[in-house]
Amino acid sequence: MIYFDNSATTFPSDRVRSAVSDMMADGLSGNPGSLHKLGVAADKAYAQTQANVARLLGASDSEIIFTSCATESANTAIRGFLSRNTRAGKRVISTRTEHKATLECLALLEKSGYDVIYLPVGRDGKPVLSELEKALTEDKTALLCFTLVNNETGSVLPVEQIVALRNKLSPDTKFYLDAVQALGKMPVDLHKLNVDMCSFSGHKIHSVKGTGVLYLKNGVRIDPLILGGGQQKGMRSGTQSLLLAKAFEAALEEALETMDASHADIARINGFLRKELVARNAVILSPEDALPNVLNVSFEGFESETMLHCLEMYDIYVSTVSACSSKAKKVSYVLLESGVDRKTAANAVRLSFSRYNTMEEAEEFIRKVDEIYDTFAVRK
Ligand code: PLP
């Protein structure tokens, strides 16, 4: 099998599997809220895990909340912040190329009277900064919502420039950042980034599904999405899962330890595929300066889904539009918003790599593309 769909999800690494199976083998893990020694031990272990994850992300212990996924983190941050801070205004700035986890929150806010400004994005997928400057000076803005690495194209947000503009033009405006596809693939140091809220997902970095994190900068107040027993300082009620927290921690440690080496390997794979695919008249839709983990490519003469299933017959896995919205037959809104024409976008396939992919797989992928072209008698 060649798995080139790592932006959709990844398989759990050996270290994550051991962390999970060790905990399962231990049997009872106490409820961190219990007063007896089993509870105290679980509470201590949970706090240690939280502290380690915070350290690895460049945050303070009190700024890390474990969630079930990045979608929950996004909902908690965006909806929770605006619900709590009504005086911050009813204006939000974002783009239409965000993940659905953000876009659906914004659509709901619009229904309840919020004014959402969607900045145009260039062919490189980046928001047009002169438009952001204008939008930040026009009126009081409560919140910015942007994504550090786009899940469909790998386009990287100029986050430092956006933070600088926010600081200069509208310092009270808060910044929510989706860093799901950036984590473990490029440096993410939360205090240096100087954003206010940030979401992460474990299953994109070889943890198990069900593991997410929300960074909530000290001093940023939100209304929690999940109410109940007041766990995690009331920000996310529900009995804490030490198992899931440990799985996230193990995945994050490993991703950061291997990041530099895997970045270089993945860049080589990406470079090779770009060259070989262009030689076969495919159109590369990821920008030149995209994160190499994602390569969006359009195969002329093949609708996205046709190519996906052709490759699947060889046990090669890729995706069409992002997995979270790909059940209905759709053309990628991210590509259309970035100015890609509908026909080219309709033939787009996303390849996404992890540290487990190899150059041999990339070479095999090209051989199979050639076979598919030959089968369909497509001109190379
Ligand atoms: N944000 C981005 C950029 C993503 O790629 C995804 C998942 O595809 C999400 C958010 C949602 O993550 P989760 O599956 O953890 O809810």
Side-chain angles (χ1 to χ4, degrees):
M1 162 166 108
I2 299 180
Y3 187 71
F4 281 171
D5 199 12
N6 291 281
S7 289
T9 197
T10 55
F11 56 83
S13 69
D14 286 346
R15 196 188 295 185
V16 167
R17 283 182 221 207
S18 318
V20 169
S21 58
D22 286 354
M23 281 212 61
M24 295 298 281
D26 279 352
L28 177 68
S29 162
N31 183 328
S34 295
L35 295 181
H36 49 66
K37 63 183 179 193
L38 295 178
V40 172
D43 189 44
K44 196 169 155 207
Y46 197 78
Q48 274 166 355
T49 309
Q50 212 160 14
N52 194 29
V53 167
R55 184 183 57 78
L56 293 169
L57 294 174
S60 310
D61 307 4
S62 54
E63 295 175 317
I64 294 300
I65 299 163
F66 286 113
T67 63
S68 64
C69 60
T71 301
E72 184 193 324
S73 302
N75 274 261
T76 307
I78 299 170
R79 294 166 61 194
F81 174 77
L82 293 170
S83 154
R84 174 69 182 254
N85 297 279
T86 47
R87 285 211 213 117
K90 291 215 139 199
R91 199 158 179 273
V92 179
I93 301 176
S94 187
T95 73
R96 290 194 192 278
T97 56
E98 302 307 303
H99 188 271
K100 288 283 181 187
T102 294
L103 288 180
E104 290 299 315
C105 291
L106 299 181
L108 185 72
L109 290 163
E110 282 183 289
K111 277 192 204 145
S112 55
Y114 280 83
D115 185 16
V116 182
I117 315 291
Y118 295 98
L119 300 177
V121 301
R123 182 60 190 80
D124 59 3
K126 300 182 208 286
V128 178
L129 293 188
S130 55
E131 293 292 326
L132 173 63
E133 216 170 317
K134 227 190 290 167
L136 278 173
T137 29
E138 257 163 23
D139 219 338
K140 183 171 158 187
T141 301
L143 187 62
L144 302 179
C145 299
F146 292 111
T147 298
L148 188 49
V149 173
N150 184 278
N151 49 300
E152 290 194 28
T153 62
S155 171
V156 182
L157 188 80
V159 64
E160 288 91 358
Q161 282 170 273
I162 294 180
V163 169
L165 280 177
R166 184 276 308 263
N167 294 351
K168 184 171 126 203
L169 303 171
S170 184
D172 291 337
T173 300
K174 299 293 184 234
F175 191 157
Y176 162 72
L177 185 69
D178 173 332
V180 169
Q181 299 290 352
L183 188 63
K185 295 156 196 166
M186 60 183 273
V188 176
D189 183 321
L190 287 162
H191 284 168
K192 272 200 202 133
L193 275 176
N194 198 11
V195 296
D196 300 285
M197 297 176 280
C198 191
S199 56
F200 302 99
S201 178
H203 75 97
K204 312 286 187 183
I205 57 161
H206 303 282
S207 176
V208 293
K209 291 168 192 63
T211 54
V213 160
L214 169 64
Y215 162 76
L216 198 58
K217 191 183 196 168
N218 281 334
V220 176
R221 301 266 169 266
I222 61 162
D223 279 341
L225 196 68
I226 302 180
L227 302 170
Q231 289 89 345
Q232 301 205 65
K233 299 202 186 70
M235 290 297 103
R236 204 267 188 175
S237 286
T239 302
Q240 304 94 312
S241 168
L242 183 56
L243 181 113
L244 295 178
K246 287 254 169 237
F248 186 93
E249 178 192 37
L252 180 60
E253 279 177 342
E254 206 177 7
L256 297 182
E257 282 164 21
T258 55
M259 187 168 78
D260 291 344
S262 64
H263 183 87
D265 290 344
I266 290 169
R268 268 193 294 279
I269 290 173
N270 184 304
F272 167 80
L273 287 172
R274 275 181 186 251
K275 190 165 91 352
E276 294 297 323
L277 291 169
V278 166
R280 286 160 177 78
N281 284 333
V283 183
I284 303 297
L285 299 175
S286 289
E288 279 292 322
D289 63 350
L291 198 74
N293 295 66
V294 182
L295 184 61
N296 199 309
V297 55
S298 176
F299 292 93
E300 203 191 325
F302 290 91
E303 273 191 10
S304 314
E305 224 178 299
T306 309
M307 184 51 96
L308 179 144
H309 290 303
C310 286
L311 290 166
E312 187 185 19
M313 289 199 294
Y314 292 108
D315 220 9
I316 298 175
Y317 299 91
V318 300
S319 69
T320 53
V321 295
S322 80
C324 315
S325 56
S326 64
K327 283 285 184 279
K329 202 173 173 184
K330 281 190 243 162
V331 177
S332 157
Y333 64 85
V334 170
L335 294 176
L336 295 178
E337 286 294 330
S338 313
V340 176
D341 67 84
R342 184 167 278 275
K343 193 162 159 264
T344 307
N347 297 346
V349 164
R350 176 187 67 185
L351 318 180
S352 48
F353 315 112
S354 79
R355 61 178 182 269
Y356 294 99
N357 290 127
T358 62
M359 190 57 101
E360 288 68 38
E361 288 178 328
E363 287 162 357
E364 180 65 4
F365 176 84
I366 292 294
R367 280 193 288 275
K368 295 309 177 203
V369 167
D370 281 343
E371 281 187 31
I372 294 166
Y373 273 30
D374 289 343
T375 308
F376 287 84
V378 168
R379 186 176 50 83
K380 277 183 254 173

